[in-house]
Amino acid sequence: MPPPPGCAWPAPAPAPPLDEHARLVPVPARHPGRTAAALVCGVLGLGLIGGAVTGSWLTGDSAAEPATEDGFTTARALWHSVPVDTLFPRTLKGDGAGPGNAARDWTRVGVAPDSGCAAALDPLLVKTIAPVGCERVLRATYVDATSSNVTTVGLVFTQADAAAMSALRARFREEKLADRADLIPRAFAVKGTSAAKFGDAQRASWTVNVLTDAPVVVYGVSGFTDGREVTAPQPAAAAMVPKATTAPAQSGLGHEAKGIADRVERGLREAVSARTTEPRRPR
């Protein structure tokens, strides 16, 4: 990094290297004023360097390897180290999240006990995620302001490193696994609420996103609260296409699944950022 503007590093003769064959070079006497200037510029330079490093760490710059690794490790422990309201807020605001950029509001009606993959996901999806190792699954269910649409959102915490998560994401993309109806995540019904009838047969639209900056798979699956069965579910990406005429598209259920999953994913990243930037206590 160049010195701060207005400062010029003094140019004394180089110190002798630690080599028995090195030639000793006389060091010229220094002018007191030049020495003081060098000290000031040195302090300023170190401040700029320190500021740049700190800035990279706080902003998640990919060049800041320690921050990246620390964030990945921090995310892995979030399922048991943060309050449920942090990962699944009681209410979610969806400005511009509905069809035609309409606003959406969602209310959480229930949170499932944390579980393993087998209890929360269909067997084929469990097999698909197996290469990254399922650590824990957290789920919550939300309803929209009209209590007509319901969405279960989930966070699958894995045991994988960044390379394995990148490989899984590449596989989902190349094989279009997020579009396969036999890999839809399970719904989580909540007894005694408007989401009581939300079962697997009611799943209408879904989204699955494999993260590469955290050992987490985020998903959302939506349906109707009245319990009607859906014979032709549609992935959120297809259901959100303008002028789509399917039932999930016409009901905005693709937007529901994607909107809620995106906001929970955003909250996850904010929680990781908050923990990785906390001042560390001296040991």
Side-chain angles (χ1 to χ4, degrees):
M1 178 178 291
C7 293
W9 301 111
L18 297 178
D19 188 332
E20 62 180 355
H21 301 295
R23 180 170 58 88
L24 297 179
V25 180
V27 179
R30 299 187 182 185
H31 190 280
R34 179 178 297 177
T35 302
L39 289 174
V40 171
C41 291
V43 170
L44 290 174
L46 289 174
L48 288 175
I49 295 171
V53 172
T54 302
S56 297
W57 176 54
L58 291 177
T59 57
D61 191 332
S62 60
E65 288 299 327
T68 301
E69 291 301 318
D70 188 52
F72 207 84
T73 302
T74 298
R76 195 189 311 280
L78 286 185
W79 71 268
H80 61 73
S81 62
V82 299
V84 66
D85 288 350
T86 298
L87 296 179
F88 301 124
R90 294 178 183 273
T91 59
L92 290 171
K93 294 288 184 181
D95 294 336
N101 293 321
R104 282 287 191 270
D105 292 313
W106 300 286
T107 301
R108 192 187 75 200
V109 293
V111 177
D114 62 273
S115 67
C117 273
L121 306 174
D122 280 338
L124 188 55
L125 186 53
V126 172
K127 183 178 180 180
T128 304
I129 295 177
V132 294
C134 176
E135 178 69 24
R136 218 65 184 162
V137 181
L138 305 185
R139 297 174 292 162
T141 293
Y142 289 81
V143 296
D144 70 343
T146 66
S147 293
S148 57
N149 296 334
V150 57
T151 302
T152 293
V153 60
L155 298 171
V156 182
F157 289 82
T158 77
Q159 301 165 351
D161 57 15
M165 294 300 294
S166 294
L168 181 63
R169 182 180 179 86
R171 184 188 173 199
F172 262 76
R173 181 181 62 252
E174 293 164 5
E175 300 179 24
K176 301 186 184 303
L177 299 183
D179 296 338
R180 285 178 45 170
D182 56 351
L183 292 176
I184 304 178
R186 281 181 175 163
F188 168 55
V190 185
K191 295 180 180 180
T193 73
S194 52
K197 298 179 181 179
F198 187 38
D200 290 347
Q202 286 71 41
R203 294 175 293 182
S205 190
W206 74 99
T207 180
V208 178
N209 187 25
V210 180
L211 307 187
T212 57
D213 56 347
V216 181
V217 178
V218 183
Y219 68 82
V221 54
S222 60
F224 302 101
T225 58
D226 60 9
R228 77 183 77 171
E229 294 189 7
V230 179
T231 57
Q234 188 176 33
M240 294 171 65
V241 173
K243 299 183 180 180
T245 58
T246 62
Q250 292 289 305
S251 302
L253 290 175
H255 289 81
E256 298 285 309
K258 186 73 164 58
I260 292 178
D262 282 353
R263 280 151 184 80
V264 168
E265 179 182 321
R266 187 182 307 159
L268 172 75
R269 286 197 167 94
E270 289 173 354
V272 173
S273 178
R275 295 232 162 183
T276 54
T277 57
E278 286 177 352
R280 300 201 173 151
R281 297 178 182 178
R283 294 182 180 178

